Amino acid sequence: MSDSSPATSESKPAHSNLATRILIGLALGAIVGSILNWKLAPHGGAPASEAYERVRWVADNIATPVGQVFLRMLFMVVVPLVFCSLFLGVSGLGDLRKLGKIGARTLAWFGITTGMAVVLGLVLMNTFEPGKKIDRAKAEEIRKEFKGEADQKVEAAKEGTGFSINTFVNIVPKNVLRSASDDRDTLGLIFFALILGAAATAFPPERIKPFVDFCQVLYDLCVKVLGYAMKLAPLGVAGLVFNVTSKLGIDVLVALGYYVFVAMLGLFIHQFLVLGLLAKWMGGWPIFDFFRRSRLLMTTAFSTSSSNATLPTTINTAVTEFNVPRPIAGFVLPLGATMNMNGTALFEGAVVLFLAQVIGMELSLGQQVVVVCLAVLTAIGAAGVPGGSLPLLALVLTQVGIPADMLALVLGVDRLVDMARTVPNVTSDLVCAMWVAKKERESTS
Ligand code: ASP
């Protein structure tokens, strides 16, 4: 899926501008909303003044709809994006039997390191509980504000994705079209795409090519539409954050700063401790030397926020700095840029827990296990472009019963977290290629 990288790399300066505009949108929405809340909101059960009623009217009839249009633009591309990304990733593996060990090792690496990253994110969020850094009365107010919608979603989620033996049975869809049209049944769609991709590897490439080309074009189109949606982001974020802060005040934003700190801490630990140790143990490279040689890779990923745009650098680093044979780099790394996103999965798990804490929703261990599975699977389906995981994150939130509007809170600060999570995304691909190459060398010597 590196085909979409030109669009991404071209738009780099525009993307930095966009990030600034989103931040301005967040700041404006937050400042105006908080001031109005502070000045006008009724306290201690007093009736709302006429002026505050007007603020609420603006929040409900102008700010929220603008934000909703932005969120819907993100949601809109989820089904084709997930389907095409997974289908292309798996069908691109070629003959599964021929690939044998290399393919199996690569996929095992993707699954295990992504799972480890989500668990780390969840452990940190459970330990620091940034979403609870809001005073109790305020949290209760926030919970009430979103309660109706959250309860509805929780009920709906229970039917489909509550944790039981059916969680596993339901992964296999009865009707894939119904599964695609039901935003609570993404796993069915994911399963279908994966198995269709696996089936494609059993056919001669000429036979499959038209469909692969179709999926590639559809994927690129979706990434383009995602770009349009992001253009709306400054306004959308301003509207959504204005809505939240005008109703709930500034406390929510204080918790947000703490969330950013904990999420960055998790990404830092995964990058420099977990992946550093894996590079040493599995890739056979001393930790400091590994990071010294990966400097260009890390800075490229950080500045572009895109695994796809970083792909040429990832391949170059693997081949020239770590002696990974070209065929192995050429197989593992493009697949990794599409499917292996450790940082993204860590971030998804962390956001779900943070927002659940903000609205005062307790996620049981079983629900957290569901979050781990969803984060791993949706990270596989996320596009390797700036903000590529956001539509899928909206989907995970909905599945566990958190109103998708809450996403607005973290969107405003997402540029920074996106830059940081892209670094472990690509570093994990590199270590995987080093490990696969080392194993191949061992088996042939
Ligand atoms: N920006 C990330 C990447 O390209 C994807 C995401 O987490 O939004 O790897």
Side-chain angles (χ1 to χ4, degrees):
M1 252 147 287
S2 46
D3 285 12
S4 47
S5 52
T8 344
S9 36
E10 257 171 36
S11 59
K12 196 186 143 196
H15 177 245
S16 318
N17 267 338
L18 177 64
T20 318
R21 277 186 281 131
I22 296 180
L23 206 63
I24 294 174
L26 168 88
L28 276 180
I31 293 170
V32 178
S34 308
I35 293 179
L36 290 177
N37 174 278
W38 173 54
K39 288 275 184 214
L40 303 174
H43 295 287
S49 65
E50 219 172 277
Y52 188 64
E53 290 292 351
R54 273 200 292 273
V55 172
R56 294 294 296 243
W57 188 91
V58 171
D60 292 340
N61 295 289
I62 298 174
T64 306
V66 171
Q68 284 297 330
V69 169
F70 162 60
L71 285 180
R72 280 164 178 259
M73 292 273 288
L74 289 182
F75 269 125
M76 193 171 73
V77 290
V78 168
V79 170
L81 200 64
V82 170
F83 176 82
C84 296
S85 155
L86 293 179
F87 174 80
L88 290 167
V90 179
S91 63
L93 289 173
D95 186 338
L96 289 180
R97 276 161 312 184
K98 258 196 254 155
L99 266 177
K101 277 197 186 129
I102 296 189
R105 283 201 180 111
T106 304
L107 293 184
W109 179 279
F110 291 178
I112 293 171
T113 55
T114 308
M116 280 162 55
V118 195
V119 172
L120 173 62
L122 292 186
V123 168
L124 287 178
M125 284 290 158
N126 277 314
T127 312
F128 288 95
E129 302 192 315
K132 292 194 181 162
K133 300 289 173 251
I134 297 181
D135 80 37
R136 285 196 158 272
K138 187 61 89 180
E140 183 55 25
E141 221 178 291
I142 298 175
R143 204 179 64 79
K144 270 199 211 123
E145 183 66 40
F146 289 100
K147 192 174 182 319
E149 198 182 339
D151 284 354
Q152 239 177 5
K153 300 264 170 53
V154 170
E155 273 314 304
K158 264 188 205 150
E159 293 163 24
T161 54
F163 191 68
S164 72
I165 187 66
N166 282 339
T167 308
F168 299 103
V169 175
N170 289 341
I171 290 177
V172 185
K174 254 197 256 172
N175 174 340
V176 71
L177 292 182
R178 195 178 313 143
S179 163
S181 66
D182 180 352
D183 61 8
R184 289 178 283 121
D185 192 15
T186 328
L187 284 178
L189 177 70
I190 289 175
F191 180 83
F192 180 68
L194 290 176
I195 204 146
L196 210 68
T201 62
F203 284 74
E206 328 74 75
R207 178 90 195 279
I208 299 301
K209 192 169 180 308
F211 189 65
V212 168
D213 287 346
F214 170 81
C215 288
Q216 184 66 63
V217 173
L218 184 56
Y219 176 89
D220 291 346
L221 288 173
C222 289
V223 168
K224 197 85 192 148
V225 173
L226 193 62
Y228 298 149
M230 291 312 285
K231 288 210 166 77
L232 263 185
L235 260 186
V237 166
L240 292 166
V241 171
F242 173 80
N243 182 38
V244 173
T245 47
S246 66
K247 287 176 185 168
L248 306 168
I250 202 157
D251 301 39
V252 184
L253 299 178
V254 175
L256 188 64
Y258 200 39
Y259 145 77
V260 173
F261 167 74
V262 179
M264 298 295 257
L265 179 68
L267 292 168
F268 188 86
I269 295 176
H270 190 76
Q271 171 71 15
F272 291 104
L273 197 68
V274 179
L275 292 175
L277 286 174
L278 288 176
K280 184 172 157 59
W281 293 333
M282 316 290 275
W285 219 277
I287 298 185
F288 288 109
D289 195 38
F290 169 73
F291 285 116
R292 199 177 55 78
R293 286 168 184 267
S294 315
R295 267 176 316 181
L296 180 63
L297 175 70
M298 295 192 289
T299 43
T300 310
F302 191 76
S303 52
T304 60
S305 289
S306 165
S307 300
N308 284 357
T310 311
L311 183 59
T313 315
T314 322
I315 296 181
N316 205 28
T317 307
V319 174
T320 56
E321 298 288 341
F322 297 100
N323 309 324
V324 174
R326 253 183 204 283
I328 294 187
F331 168 74
V332 174
L333 299 173
L335 206 61
T338 312
M339 296 177 77
N340 185 34
M341 300 206 179
N342 291 188
T344 295
L346 188 155
F347 149 79
E348 285 190 18
V351 171
V352 170
L353 231 71
F354 168 66
L355 293 180
Q357 288 164 3
V358 169
I359 61 172
M361 178 196 263
E362 289 291 334
L363 291 182
S364 67
L365 196 62
Q367 281 172 309
Q368 294 200 24
V369 173
V370 174
V371 172
V372 173
C373 299
L374 283 173
V376 171
L377 288 168
T378 50
I380 294 173
V385 298
S389 54
L390 297 178
L392 294 128
L393 177 60
L395 206 108
V396 177
L397 290 178
T398 319
Q399 294 228 342
V400 285
I402 298 168
D405 291 43
M406 296 294 291
L407 188 62
L409 268 187
V410 288
L411 279 189
V413 289
D414 194 53
R415 164 69 175 163
L416 189 63
V417 183
D418 194 4
M419 290 163 86
R421 67 182 178 251
T422 307
V423 179
N425 284 355
V426 299
T427 306
S428 175
D429 301 341
L430 172 66
V431 184
C432 176
M434 289 162 62
W435 174 60
V436 170
K438 182 166 161 258
K439 284 284 173 197
E440 281 303 292
R441 269 196 290 268
E442 283 169 6
S443 65
T444 49
S445 63

